[in-house]
Amino acid sequence: MSDTEAGRQLSGQFRRSAPLLAVLLALLAAWFGWSGVSQWRADARETQLSAARDQLVDGATAALAAQTRALGQQLEQEAVQSALASGDAAAAAAALAGGLEGAGQAQVLRADLAAAYADAPAFGYARLGLLERAMSEGVAVAAVVRQDDAVHLGVAAPVTLAGAPAVAYVRLPLARLTAVLDQAAVPGGTYLALRQGGYNVAERGDGGLAGSADVLSREVGKTGLRAAAAVPDVAAGPFGLGGVACMVLAVLLALLAVAVM
């Protein structure tokens, strides 16, 4: 057989197998392309969620600062100062609550917190911890507290009652803190929550991702709160390739499929 005849046979075999090869290349291109697009979408979704998480952290920080600042300003009011100076804890608490919009219960307790320690479970450990932290740090602080079978935002600050150390506490609506989560742009199929310890203060998105949400969590300053976030797992690309590499390879394979047809 001459070289010319052999070349013709090879050319004929190639032409006969070209459609099958083109289909194989096209399938590979689709596989790599699908993986690349999936990874790109996952990266974009995680970027959007991270932005929402950071928005939640900034908003929660600002909300807490606004409430503690409001408490500090109200403590400076003449009616509050007069009641504190005279040792009238009930009048001071009433004046505090009256000057803070949406305020619920207000209290002024002596620094020994005897009433709280007498029945700590009924008083609430979170509320007790908040009062202790206010006196320890010497500034107004805020935290999520459970009281009367409901969850609230509590704010507390150290004060002086008739010359003796004491602490003031005011209960506020939890929405003052959680409203920012309602406004966050949480992408579909993801999860975002505001947590205090192991308790979800508020959450949005796919609750099935809650267990892995601390992986992308970020602390809300030193408040004990954190923004927890999670995205669903996405399979790695073929041979461990990243999204961009998969998409580039998909284009090359598609071009090869066209070329051999």
Side-chain angles (χ1 to χ4, degrees):
M1 181 183 296
S2 67
D3 290 343
T4 301
E5 290 175 341
R8 287 173 180 171
Q9 280 189 344
L10 289 173
S11 177
Q13 291 174 357
F14 179 78
R15 283 195 297 272
R16 287 192 295 272
S17 61
L20 180 61
L21 179 59
V23 170
L24 177 60
L25 290 170
L27 289 174
L28 287 172
W31 181 34
F32 281 97
W34 176 84
S35 178
V37 170
S38 296
Q39 292 185 72
W40 176 78
R41 286 178 176 173
D43 290 343
R45 184 167 51 191
E46 183 171 336
T47 298
Q48 293 171 359
L49 181 62
S50 296
R53 178 205 58 198
D54 293 345
Q55 178 186 351
L56 175 58
V57 169
D58 294 344
T61 300
L64 293 174
Q67 302 312 312
T68 54
R69 184 168 56 251
L71 175 61
Q73 292 171 347
Q74 186 60 21
L75 284 171
E76 296 298 321
Q77 296 301 309
E78 183 178 351
V80 178
Q81 286 294 312
S82 176
L84 289 173
S86 66
D88 191 338
L96 266 180
L100 292 172
E101 183 181 356
Q105 181 191 33
Q107 294 175 290
V108 175
L109 302 119
R110 295 193 178 277
D112 59 12
L113 298 177
Y117 289 124
D119 191 356
F123 187 83
Y125 291 110
R127 182 157 56 123
L128 180 55
L130 174 65
L131 302 184
E132 291 174 334
R133 185 155 65 94
M135 291 188 293
S136 173
E137 298 181 10
V139 295
V141 293
V144 175
V145 299
R146 180 174 290 277
Q147 187 179 351
D148 300 331
D149 296 322
V151 181
H152 310 275
L153 176 63
V155 289
V159 296
T160 300
L161 182 65
V167 61
Y169 166 81
V170 181
R171 187 181 70 197
L172 297 171
L174 187 63
R176 299 277 178 87
L177 174 63
T178 59
V180 65
L181 179 58
D182 298 331
Q183 300 164 4
V186 181
T190 65
Y191 177 82
L192 182 63
L194 184 64
R195 290 179 174 173
Q196 181 170 277
Y199 175 70
N200 284 329
V201 179
E203 59 184 345
R204 284 183 58 193
D206 184 355
L209 299 171
S212 60
D214 278 332
V215 174
L216 296 176
S217 68
R218 183 182 162 197
E219 300 293 328
V220 182
K222 297 180 179 180
T223 64
L225 292 163
R226 68 189 185 282
V231 293
D233 292 332
V234 175
F239 311 111
L241 294 176
V244 173
C246 283
M247 294 176 75
V248 170
L249 190 53
V251 172
L252 292 177
L253 288 169
L255 292 174
L256 284 173
V258 172
V260 300
M261 290 182 64

mmCIF file of all heavy atoms in Angstrom, residues 62-102:
data_model
loop_
_atom_site.group_PDB
_atom_site.id
_atom_site.type_symbol
_atom_site.label_atom_id
_atom_site.label_comp_id
_atom_site.label_asym_id
_atom_site.label_seq_id
_atom_site.Cartn_x
_atom_site.Cartn_y
_atom_site.Cartn_z
ATOM 1 N N ALA A 62 -24.007 50.067 65.193
ATOM 2 C CA ALA A 62 -24.586 51.409 65.252
ATOM 3 C C ALA A 62 -25.841 51.433 66.121
ATOM 4 O O ALA A 62 -26.051 52.378 66.899
ATOM 5 C CB ALA A 62 -24.910 51.896 63.845
ATOM 6 N N ALA A 63 -26.669 50.387 66.019
ATOM 7 C CA ALA A 63 -27.909 50.343 66.797
ATOM 8 C C ALA A 63 -27.609 50.262 68.291
ATOM 9 O O ALA A 63 -28.235 50.960 69.106
ATOM 10 C CB ALA A 63 -28.755 49.148 66.366
ATOM 11 N N LEU A 64 -26.659 49.423 68.662
ATOM 12 C CA LEU A 64 -26.294 49.300 70.076
ATOM 13 C C LEU A 64 -25.700 50.608 70.598
ATOM 14 O O LEU A 64 -26.010 51.038 71.717
ATOM 15 C CB LEU A 64 -25.302 48.151 70.262
ATOM 16 C CG LEU A 64 -25.848 46.747 69.989
ATOM 17 C CD1 LEU A 64 -24.728 45.726 70.058
ATOM 18 C CD2 LEU A 64 -26.949 46.390 70.974
ATOM 19 N N ALA A 65 -24.853 51.220 69.786
ATOM 20 C CA ALA A 65 -24.242 52.488 70.200
ATOM 21 C C ALA A 65 -25.304 53.568 70.389
ATOM 22 O O ALA A 65 -25.239 54.370 71.333
ATOM 23 C CB ALA A 65 -23.214 52.935 69.161
ATOM 24 N N ALA A 66 -26.308 53.566 69.508
ATOM 25 C CA ALA A 66 -27.373 54.570 69.613
ATOM 26 C C ALA A 66 -28.172 54.393 70.896
ATOM 27 O O ALA A 66 -28.527 55.374 71.571
ATOM 28 C CB ALA A 66 -28.291 54.475 68.398
ATOM 29 N N GLN A 67 -28.445 53.139 71.272
ATOM 30 C CA GLN A 67 -29.249 52.892 72.472
ATOM 31 C C GLN A 67 -28.464 53.191 73.754
ATOM 32 O O GLN A 67 -29.014 53.745 74.706
ATOM 33 C CB GLN A 67 -29.755 51.448 72.485
ATOM 34 C CG GLN A 67 -30.595 51.066 71.269
ATOM 35 C CD GLN A 67 -31.679 52.081 70.958
ATOM 36 O OE1 GLN A 67 -32.418 52.518 71.837
ATOM 37 N NE2 GLN A 67 -31.789 52.464 69.685
ATOM 38 N N THR A 68 -27.199 52.817 73.780
ATOM 39 C CA THR A 68 -26.405 53.123 74.975
ATOM 40 C C THR A 68 -26.158 54.630 75.088
ATOM 41 O O THR A 68 -26.136 55.178 76.198
ATOM 42 C CB THR A 68 -25.057 52.380 74.944
ATOM 43 O OG1 THR A 68 -24.361 52.667 73.718
ATOM 44 C CG2 THR A 68 -25.276 50.872 75.036
ATOM 45 N N ARG A 69 -26.024 55.289 73.943
ATOM 46 C CA ARG A 69 -25.860 56.742 73.967
ATOM 47 C C ARG A 69 -27.132 57.417 74.474
ATOM 48 O O ARG A 69 -27.079 58.366 75.278
ATOM 49 C CB ARG A 69 -25.502 57.247 72.576
ATOM 50 C CG ARG A 69 -25.207 58.738 72.502
ATOM 51 C CD ARG A 69 -24.574 59.120 71.174
ATOM 52 N NE ARG A 69 -25.388 58.726 70.028
ATOM 53 C CZ ARG A 69 -25.080 57.747 69.179
ATOM 54 N NH1 ARG A 69 -23.971 57.053 69.346
ATOM 55 N NH2 ARG A 69 -25.872 57.473 68.165
ATOM 56 N N ALA A 70 -28.286 56.906 74.041
ATOM 57 C CA ALA A 70 -29.556 57.468 74.502
ATOM 58 C C ALA A 70 -29.726 57.279 76.006
ATOM 59 O O ALA A 70 -30.219 58.171 76.706
ATOM 60 C CB ALA A 70 -30.710 56.814 73.746
ATOM 61 N N LEU A 71 -29.314 56.119 76.494
ATOM 62 C CA LEU A 71 -29.398 55.885 77.941
ATOM 63 C C LEU A 71 -28.503 56.863 78.691
ATOM 64 O O LEU A 71 -28.915 57.453 79.707
ATOM 65 C CB LEU A 71 -28.986 54.444 78.259
ATOM 66 C CG LEU A 71 -28.903 54.097 79.754
ATOM 67 C CD1 LEU A 71 -30.255 54.269 80.440
ATOM 68 C CD2 LEU A 71 -28.373 52.678 79.950
ATOM 69 N N GLY A 72 -27.293 57.051 78.200
ATOM 70 C CA GLY A 72 -26.376 57.987 78.847
ATOM 71 C C GLY A 72 -26.921 59.403 78.878
ATOM 72 O O GLY A 72 -26.794 60.108 79.880
ATOM 73 N N GLN A 73 -27.540 59.808 77.781
ATOM 74 C CA GLN A 73 -28.107 61.153 77.720
ATOM 75 C C GLN A 73 -29.289 61.301 78.678
ATOM 76 O O GLN A 73 -29.434 62.339 79.343
ATOM 77 C CB GLN A 73 -28.548 61.461 76.291
ATOM 78 C CG GLN A 73 -27.394 61.587 75.311
ATOM 79 C CD GLN A 73 -27.846 61.681 73.874
ATOM 80 O OE1 GLN A 73 -29.013 61.410 73.547
ATOM 81 N NE2 GLN A 73 -26.935 62.075 72.981
ATOM 82 N N GLN A 74 -30.101 60.256 78.766
ATOM 83 C CA GLN A 74 -31.250 60.324 79.664
ATOM 84 C C GLN A 74 -30.820 60.339 81.124
ATOM 85 O O GLN A 74 -31.456 60.984 81.972
ATOM 86 C CB GLN A 74 -32.182 59.129 79.398
ATOM 87 C CG GLN A 74 -33.489 59.167 80.173
ATOM 88 C CD GLN A 74 -34.343 60.390 79.877
ATOM 89 O OE1 GLN A 74 -34.184 61.027 78.834
ATOM 90 N NE2 GLN A 74 -35.238 60.730 80.786
ATOM 91 N N LEU A 75 -29.738 59.673 81.421
ATOM 92 C CA LEU A 75 -29.230 59.674 82.802
ATOM 93 C C LEU A 75 -28.774 61.066 83.242
ATOM 94 O O LEU A 75 -28.718 61.345 84.442
ATOM 95 C CB LEU A 75 -28.065 58.687 82.940
ATOM 96 C CG LEU A 75 -28.448 57.199 83.004
ATOM 97 C CD1 LEU A 75 -27.198 56.330 82.907
ATOM 98 C CD2 LEU A 75 -29.202 56.908 84.305
ATOM 99 N N GLU A 76 -28.471 61.906 82.278
ATOM 100 C CA GLU A 76 -28.020 63.259 82.602
ATOM 101 C C GLU A 76 -29.189 64.217 82.841
ATOM 102 O O GLU A 76 -28.973 65.362 83.273
ATOM 103 C CB GLU A 76 -27.144 63.800 81.466
ATOM 104 C CG GLU A 76 -25.841 63.036 81.258
ATOM 105 C CD GLU A 76 -24.951 63.100 82.490
ATOM 106 O OE1 GLU A 76 -24.888 64.172 83.125
ATOM 107 O OE2 GLU A 76 -24.326 62.072 82.819
ATOM 108 N N GLN A 77 -30.405 63.768 82.563
ATOM 109 C CA GLN A 77 -31.555 64.649 82.740
ATOM 110 C C GLN A 77 -31.755 64.997 84.223
ATOM 111 O O GLN A 77 -31.483 64.188 85.118
ATOM 112 C CB GLN A 77 -32.816 63.993 82.184
ATOM 113 C CG GLN A 77 -32.771 63.750 80.678
ATOM 114 C CD GLN A 77 -32.576 65.044 79.899
ATOM 115 O OE1 GLN A 77 -33.296 66.030 80.100
ATOM 116 N NE2 GLN A 77 -31.587 65.055 79.015
ATOM 117 N N GLU A 78 -32.256 66.202 84.450
ATOM 118 C CA GLU A 78 -32.385 66.713 85.815
ATOM 119 C C GLU A 78 -33.276 65.829 86.682
ATOM 120 O O GLU A 78 -32.963 65.563 87.846
ATOM 121 C CB GLU A 78 -32.938 68.139 85.776
ATOM 122 C CG GLU A 78 -33.044 68.780 87.164
ATOM 123 C CD GLU A 78 -33.560 70.212 87.090
ATOM 124 O OE1 GLU A 78 -33.679 70.758 85.981
ATOM 125 O OE2 GLU A 78 -33.833 70.780 88.180
ATOM 126 N N ALA A 79 -34.386 65.350 86.107
ATOM 127 C CA ALA A 79 -35.311 64.539 86.898
ATOM 128 C C ALA A 79 -34.645 63.237 87.354
ATOM 129 O O ALA A 79 -34.837 62.783 88.495
ATOM 130 C CB ALA A 79 -36.562 64.214 86.078
ATOM 131 N N VAL A 80 -33.857 62.656 86.480
ATOM 132 C CA VAL A 80 -33.169 61.404 86.828
ATOM 133 C C VAL A 80 -32.093 61.680 87.865
ATOM 134 O O VAL A 80 -31.974 60.961 88.870
ATOM 135 C CB VAL A 80 -32.561 60.754 85.575
ATOM 136 C CG1 VAL A 80 -31.811 59.475 85.948
ATOM 137 C CG2 VAL A 80 -33.647 60.451 84.546
ATOM 138 N N GLN A 81 -31.306 62.701 87.636
ATOM 139 C CA GLN A 81 -30.220 63.029 88.562
ATOM 140 C C GLN A 81 -30.752 63.383 89.949
ATOM 141 O O GLN A 81 -30.164 62.991 90.976
ATOM 142 C CB GLN A 81 -29.392 64.184 88.004
ATOM 143 C CG GLN A 81 -28.493 63.794 86.839
ATOM 144 C CD GLN A 81 -27.406 62.823 87.254
ATOM 145 O OE1 GLN A 81 -26.717 63.024 88.261
ATOM 146 N NE2 GLN A 81 -27.266 61.745 86.495
ATOM 147 N N SER A 82 -31.850 64.104 89.983
ATOM 148 C CA SER A 82 -32.436 64.489 91.270
ATOM 149 C C SER A 82 -32.903 63.258 92.045
ATOM 150 O O SER A 82 -32.668 63.141 93.257
ATOM 151 C CB SER A 82 -33.606 65.441 91.034
ATOM 152 O OG SER A 82 -34.242 65.764 92.253
ATOM 153 N N ALA A 83 -33.568 62.326 91.354
ATOM 154 C CA ALA A 83 -34.040 61.113 92.008
ATOM 155 C C ALA A 83 -32.884 60.248 92.479
ATOM 156 O O ALA A 83 -32.915 59.675 93.581
ATOM 157 C CB ALA A 83 -34.935 60.323 91.052
ATOM 158 N N LEU A 84 -31.837 60.165 91.693
ATOM 159 C CA LEU A 84 -30.671 59.380 92.084
ATOM 160 C C LEU A 84 -29.996 60.000 93.308
ATOM 161 O O LEU A 84 -29.585 59.294 94.246
ATOM 162 C CB LEU A 84 -29.673 59.289 90.923
ATOM 163 C CG LEU A 84 -30.073 58.416 89.728
ATOM 164 C CD1 LEU A 84 -29.067 58.577 88.595
ATOM 165 C CD2 LEU A 84 -30.156 56.943 90.136
ATOM 166 N N ALA A 85 -29.862 61.312 93.301
ATOM 167 C CA ALA A 85 -29.201 61.995 94.415
ATOM 168 C C ALA A 85 -29.964 61.807 95.716
ATOM 169 O O ALA A 85 -29.366 61.685 96.796
ATOM 170 C CB ALA A 85 -29.049 63.478 94.094
ATOM 171 N N SER A 86 -31.289 61.755 95.622
ATOM 172 C CA SER A 86 -32.096 61.603 96.831
ATOM 173 C C SER A 86 -32.240 60.146 97.258
ATOM 174 O O SER A 86 -32.843 59.851 98.296
ATOM 175 C CB SER A 86 -33.493 62.197 96.602
ATOM 176 O OG SER A 86 -34.199 61.453 95.617
ATOM 177 N N GLY A 87 -31.727 59.234 96.429
ATOM 178 C CA GLY A 87 -31.801 57.817 96.771
ATOM 179 C C GLY A 87 -33.121 57.164 96.419
ATOM 180 O O GLY A 87 -33.405 56.053 96.877
ATOM 181 N N ASP A 88 -33.933 57.821 95.600
ATOM 182 C CA ASP A 88 -35.232 57.274 95.223
ATOM 183 C C ASP A 88 -35.071 56.461 93.937
ATOM 184 O O ASP A 88 -35.207 56.986 92.818
ATOM 185 C CB ASP A 88 -36.231 58.416 95.018
ATOM 186 C CG ASP A 88 -37.665 57.924 94.896
ATOM 187 O OD1 ASP A 88 -37.850 56.735 94.557
ATOM 188 O OD2 ASP A 88 -38.593 58.735 95.105
ATOM 189 N N ALA A 89 -34.800 55.175 94.090
ATOM 190 C CA ALA A 89 -34.548 54.307 92.930
ATOM 191 C C ALA A 89 -35.772 54.186 92.041
ATOM 192 O O ALA A 89 -35.665 54.184 90.806
ATOM 193 C CB ALA A 89 -34.104 52.928 93.409
ATOM 194 N N ALA A 90 -36.952 54.095 92.615
ATOM 195 C CA ALA A 90 -38.173 53.940 91.827
ATOM 196 C C ALA A 90 -38.437 55.178 90.977
ATOM 197 O O ALA A 90 -38.802 55.072 89.794
ATOM 198 C CB ALA A 90 -39.353 53.675 92.750
ATOM 199 N N ALA A 91 -38.250 56.364 91.561
ATOM 200 C CA ALA A 91 -38.478 57.593 90.806
ATOM 201 C C ALA A 91 -37.446 57.742 89.693
ATOM 202 O O ALA A 91 -37.767 58.189 88.586
ATOM 203 C CB ALA A 91 -38.418 58.795 91.751
ATOM 204 N N ALA A 92 -36.204 57.368 89.975
ATOM 205 C CA ALA A 92 -35.161 57.443 88.956
ATOM 206 C C ALA A 92 -35.471 56.510 87.804
ATOM 207 O O ALA A 92 -35.315 56.871 86.628
ATOM 208 C CB ALA A 92 -33.811 57.084 89.572
ATOM 209 N N ALA A 93 -35.953 55.304 88.122
ATOM 210 C CA ALA A 93 -36.303 54.342 87.074
ATOM 211 C C ALA A 93 -37.465 54.853 86.238
ATOM 212 O O ALA A 93 -37.465 54.733 85.005
ATOM 213 C CB ALA A 93 -36.642 52.996 87.705
ATOM 214 N N ALA A 94 -38.458 55.427 86.875
ATOM 215 C CA ALA A 94 -39.609 55.956 86.155
ATOM 216 C C ALA A 94 -39.201 57.098 85.237
ATOM 217 O O ALA A 94 -39.675 57.204 84.099
ATOM 218 C CB ALA A 94 -40.676 56.414 87.136
ATOM 219 N N ALA A 95 -38.331 57.960 85.718
ATOM 220 C CA ALA A 95 -37.861 59.079 84.903
ATOM 221 C C ALA A 95 -37.043 58.579 83.717
ATOM 222 O O ALA A 95 -37.119 59.135 82.622
ATOM 223 C CB ALA A 95 -37.035 60.032 85.758
ATOM 224 N N LEU A 96 -36.281 57.527 83.938
ATOM 225 C CA LEU A 96 -35.501 56.937 82.850
ATOM 226 C C LEU A 96 -36.414 56.404 81.764
ATOM 227 O O LEU A 96 -36.249 56.705 80.580
ATOM 228 C CB LEU A 96 -34.635 55.792 83.389
ATOM 229 C CG LEU A 96 -33.194 56.086 83.794
ATOM 230 C CD1 LEU A 96 -32.534 54.810 84.299
ATOM 231 C CD2 LEU A 96 -32.416 56.673 82.633
ATOM 232 N N ALA A 97 -37.363 55.562 82.152
ATOM 233 C CA ALA A 97 -38.269 54.942 81.198
ATOM 234 C C ALA A 97 -39.098 55.982 80.460
ATOM 235 O O ALA A 97 -39.368 55.859 79.261
ATOM 236 C CB ALA A 97 -39.181 53.950 81.904
ATOM 237 N N GLY A 98 -39.497 57.033 81.163
ATOM 238 C CA GLY A 98 -40.327 58.057 80.553
ATOM 239 C C GLY A 98 -39.622 58.836 79.474
ATOM 240 O O GLY A 98 -40.265 59.403 78.580
ATOM 241 N N GLY A 99 -38.311 58.877 79.529
ATOM 242 C CA GLY A 99 -37.563 59.667 78.548
ATOM 243 C C GLY A 99 -37.006 58.863 77.398
ATOM 244 O O GLY A 99 -36.360 59.431 76.511
ATOM 245 N N LEU A 100 -37.226 57.554 77.379
ATOM 246 C CA LEU A 100 -36.711 56.706 76.300
ATOM 247 C C LEU A 100 -37.883 56.094 75.535
ATOM 248 O O LEU A 100 -38.655 55.318 76.090
ATOM 249 C CB LEU A 100 -35.820 55.592 76.877
ATOM 250 C CG LEU A 100 -34.503 56.048 77.502
ATOM 251 C CD1 LEU A 100 -33.812 54.890 78.205
ATOM 252 C CD2 LEU A 100 -33.577 56.638 76.435
ATOM 253 N N GLU A 101 -38.016 56.450 74.287
ATOM 254 C CA GLU A 101 -39.134 55.973 73.481
ATOM 255 C C GLU A 101 -39.150 54.451 73.393
ATOM 256 O O GLU A 101 -38.127 53.816 73.128
ATOM 257 C CB GLU A 101 -39.034 56.556 72.069
ATOM 258 C CG GLU A 101 -40.196 56.171 71.171
ATOM 259 C CD GLU A 101 -40.050 56.757 69.782
ATOM 260 O OE1 GLU A 101 -39.098 57.508 69.552
ATOM 261 O OE2 GLU A 101 -40.912 56.442 68.927
ATOM 262 N N GLY A 102 -40.303 53.868 73.642
ATOM 263 C CA GLY A 102 -40.457 52.429 73.538
ATOM 264 C C GLY A 102 -39.930 51.660 74.724
ATOM 265 O O GLY A 102 -39.940 50.426 74.714
#
